[in-house]
Amino acid sequence: MAEFTVIRGGQVVEARPRGAQLADLLVEGDTIREIGPPAMPAPDGSKVIDASGKAIMPGFVNGHVHGHGTLAKGLVEDRWPLELFLNALPGLAGNRSLEDKRLNGLVAAVEMIRKGCTACYDLFFEFPMPSRDGIEALGRAYAEAGVRAVIAPMVADFTLYQAYPGLTDAIPEPLRRQVQKIELAPYEATADAAEDVFRNWPFDRSQIRPAIAPTIPLHCSDPFLLRCRDLARSYDIPLQTHLAETKSQAILGMRKYGCSLTRHLDDLGMLGPHLSAAHAIWLDDEDLRRLADRGVSAIHAPASNMRFGSGLAPLRAMLDLQMNVGIATDAANSSDSLNMFESTRLAAFISRVLTPDFRRWLGADEVFYMSTEGSARAMGLGGMIGQVAKGYKADLVFLDLHHINYVPLHDLLGQIVFTENGAAVDSVMAGGRMILDRGRITTVDESKLRRDVEAAAARLSAANLPMRKLSGAVQDMIGRFCRALAHERYHVSRQAWREEELSD
Ligand SMILES: [Zn+2]
């Protein structure tokens, strides 16, 4: 018989309608069975959790993260745009042992748990191609820590130097020859390796699910994109890609395909409800309509978008078209933390600098919905996580209402979105199990983790030094190339993110 837990006296947060109610929750095994008034009856022998003085919110769902980034925290230079980050990637994520891949997942999981997040969509990169062992090592780490994850091998068949036409011409010899030597596996081998992972998926899919991520359209040949599309269909798994993240990508896409990146993906039959488009910044009205018509979700990563100066995504225009939108942090070295409270707040704030028409700003309830249910739907987990509701998984965050963030308390949801930074996260339950209990992670030995990670980081720093030297040597040339591109005029019918004049 499944175990019952009754959680008494907490204030349960709701995004729709916006508010909070004092309620008891009955959890059976990993699922919420009942939500009722305070002191509601519970089966004999139920475990009781006293949640008085606590707010109970659904665990955040991080719609786009990269586990491989966690061991490279702090190594991304201050003023790098995305392209310089990609140039440095082999030196940031290279030489990883299986144990390093496991540590990646544990560090990401612990940070997310401590900051109120219980599920993520991880696009995980392995050089030169994905491996069953590597994905398993990452998945085991998430499962061990108690975080739910959708794990997508992040794949490509072109490096940055091959993907951006003209880029290597901007690099003089002998450096050019050296960057040309960096090669990913041929697409057939990579797709076969990914398929091997899906065919032998070792995890319970309610905890750890597979997906596939052709990383950036320009970095993937068309036959490779088609193969990814077919893998997603055959194995019934979600797809995610970084869509039109930078202006350089949008311009080069137009040059390479003769149409926008979105249109090109549509022509290949890639757009559909199983696809989520991360970042989704450089889109015009037609692109947005295509994405909306095909049921594509967008994943907004505001901290990373601003960290890299990539641009601001047109969220209100997406909502106008009934698109599903989720929210994400992006990697621990590109945002530079896995704090969904921060990403949620930034999503609301960014909408306010795009138009003076305050009726079109995103409200706390809207962004909170995106950070929970919106991301869950994009991951294919809609109806299972993202709400404190009957039948949903018991993935709950307990916030201490005695924390200064809530003194005084007037508007719980508003204060969670606009004030909370993670400091009041007291406990976290995932699948009915306390994974953070009054400030202590119960599933991972954090002191051991710290020691292991420090040793791994020191070893990786030394092992990756030659690659980092090479990326450092070509960085100025790549920077110049991309700066020139970004200054080009970019013709689109109308950039939807430039909000139209006010209309009453
Ligand atoms: Zn990303």
Side-chain angles (χ1 to χ4, degrees), residues 64 66 242 279 330:
H64 177 86
H66 301 284
H242 297 81
H279 303 283
D330 211 347

Coordinates of all heavy atoms in Angstrom, one line a residue, residues 64 66 242 279 330, ligand 1:
H64 N 15.1 25.0 -20.0 CA 16.3 24.9 -20.8 C 17.5 25.1 -20.0 O 17.8 26.2 -19.5 CB 16.2 26.0 -21.9 CG 17.4 26.0 -22.8 ND1 17.5 25.3 -24.0 CD2 18.5 26.8 -22.8 CE1 18.6 25.5 -24.6 NE2 19.3 26.5 -23.9
H66 N 21.8 23.4 -19.4 CA 22.9 22.5 -19.9 C 23.7 22.0 -18.8 O 24.5 22.7 -18.2 CB 23.8 23.3 -20.9 CG 23.1 23.9 -22.1 ND1 22.7 23.2 -23.1 CD2 22.7 25.2 -22.3 CE1 22.1 24.0 -24.0 NE2 22.1 25.2 -23.5
H242 N 18.0 25.7 -30.3 CA 18.2 27.1 -30.0 C 17.7 27.8 -31.3 O 18.4 27.8 -32.3 CB 19.6 27.4 -29.7 CG 20.2 26.7 -28.5 ND1 20.6 25.5 -28.5 CD2 20.4 27.2 -27.3 CE1 21.1 25.2 -27.3 NE2 21.0 26.2 -26.5
H279 N 15.1 30.4 -26.6 CA 15.5 31.8 -26.8 C 14.5 32.5 -27.8 O 13.8 33.4 -27.4 CB 16.9 31.9 -27.4 CG 17.9 31.3 -26.4 ND1 18.3 31.9 -25.3 CD2 18.5 30.0 -26.4 CE1 19.2 31.1 -24.6 NE2 19.3 30.0 -25.3
D330 N 18.8 28.7 -18.6 CA 20.0 28.4 -19.4 C 21.1 27.9 -18.5 O 20.8 27.6 -17.3 CB 20.5 29.6 -20.3 CG 21.1 29.1 -21.6 OD1 21.4 27.9 -21.7 OD2 21.3 29.9 -22.5
Ligands
ZN1 ZN 21.2 26.8 -24.4

